[in-house]
Amino acid sequence: ARRSRAAAAAEDTGADAALLDALKEQTEQLAQLVQLQERAIERLAGNGKAGVGTMPRVGVFVDSANVELARDRTRGGRPIDWGLVLDRVTEGRRLVRAIAYSPVHDDPGVSRETQRFVEPFLGKGFKIVTKPLKRFADGSIKANVDIELALDVITMADRLDVAVLASGDGDFQHLVEVLQSRGIRVEVAGLGQSVAGNLKRAADQYIELDFAQKKK
């Protein structure tokens, strides 16, 4: 009887040890799974190694008339290479969309491709959104694409990590602040004194476009 009790006790001790070993192994496996999950979350959040899936998503939006007219008034009117601009602001990033907002004449005798606010962006990687110039009775002409630009940026906001706005128009300050409130980094690009001070101050970064001006 004593031997039976001793044998039973030994068996119980062995079973307990086996159970502890099994629990220890499961705990280690769970810890490994947690580590793998944390690494996966970091990669999805963009904190892992650089790659297509982790590159910041960027949208580029150009108020073409504003910048091109500013270019006429500064630095001798040297043309801007918009392809070079796009290369610079998208370096290390994944481009979602690049759009130039360009007012155009409604004169049927003037081709769209040759118009001054369209031609600089042709073949440079930009989608070109056009809007007819408004002519008033006093002979003045107005071209305002602010609403179209702002609506597009807000519509795309959930697909962007960075928004690059090429304009000097201080009216865009509120748009910049709305995007920032959604966690989007906003970079403003422009030419010198043509960019409103309030717009520069609101941006996370200001980019001077003189680097892309062609030499005459």
Side-chain angles (χ1 to χ4, degrees):
R2 289 179 180 175
R3 288 181 181 177
S4 297
R5 286 196 294 272
E11 289 177 0
D12 290 342
T13 301
D16 289 344
L19 180 59
L20 288 173
D21 288 342
L23 289 173
K24 183 179 179 181
E25 184 178 354
Q26 288 181 352
T27 300
E28 291 174 350
Q29 290 175 346
L30 285 172
Q32 291 175 355
L33 287 173
V34 169
Q35 289 179 350
L36 290 172
Q37 185 181 40
E38 289 175 347
R39 290 172 187 170
I41 291 172
E42 287 178 356
R43 286 196 296 271
L44 289 173
N47 295 324
K49 294 181 179 180
V52 174
T54 61
M55 294 169 69
R57 302 164 299 172
V58 61
V60 183
F61 307 89
V62 182
D63 182 359
S64 62
N66 180 281
V67 180
E68 286 293 313
L69 289 173
R71 185 262 296 177
D72 288 347
R73 299 189 297 267
T74 60
R75 296 174 175 82
R78 290 183 289 127
I80 297 172
D81 183 342
W82 287 101
L84 182 58
V85 173
L86 193 59
D87 288 343
R88 173 72 66 86
V89 300
T90 59
E91 185 176 358
R93 297 167 171 174
R94 179 162 61 89
L95 178 63
V96 174
R97 187 64 60 88
I99 307 175
Y101 298 83
S102 305
V104 293
H105 291 289
D106 53 6
D107 184 348
V110 180
S111 68
R112 173 179 177 272
E113 290 74 15
T114 60
Q115 296 198 35
R116 66 169 303 187
F117 301 131
V118 173
E119 190 275 333
F121 301 94
L122 294 174
K124 303 294 185 179
F126 287 84
K127 174 184 177 182
I128 302 172
V129 173
T130 60
K131 183 177 181 179
L133 290 164
K134 287 186 178 181
R135 300 176 184 274
F136 297 91
D138 61 0
S140 62
I141 299 175
K142 185 177 181 180
N144 193 330
V145 294
D146 293 7
I147 294 176
E148 288 80 2
L149 189 156
L151 284 174
D152 282 351
V153 178
I154 293 297
T155 300
M156 282 186 252
D158 61 347
R159 292 184 283 147
L160 300 176
D161 301 304
V162 182
V164 178
L165 171 64
S167 178
D169 190 343
D171 290 344
F172 282 125
Q173 177 184 346
H174 184 59
L175 173 63
V176 170
E177 293 170 347
V178 168
L179 293 172
Q180 290 169 332
S181 71
R182 297 188 179 190
I184 297 172
R185 174 183 173 84
V186 182
E187 299 172 358
V188 168
L191 287 170
Q193 298 301 315
S194 68
V195 182
N198 65 309
L199 186 61
K200 282 185 179 180
R201 290 189 294 272
D204 293 294
Q205 180 181 350
Y206 172 68
I207 302 168
E208 179 59 52
L209 290 177
D210 58 356
F211 75 88
Q213 286 191 286
K214 301 175 183 178
K215 295 181 180 179
K216 287 189 173 181

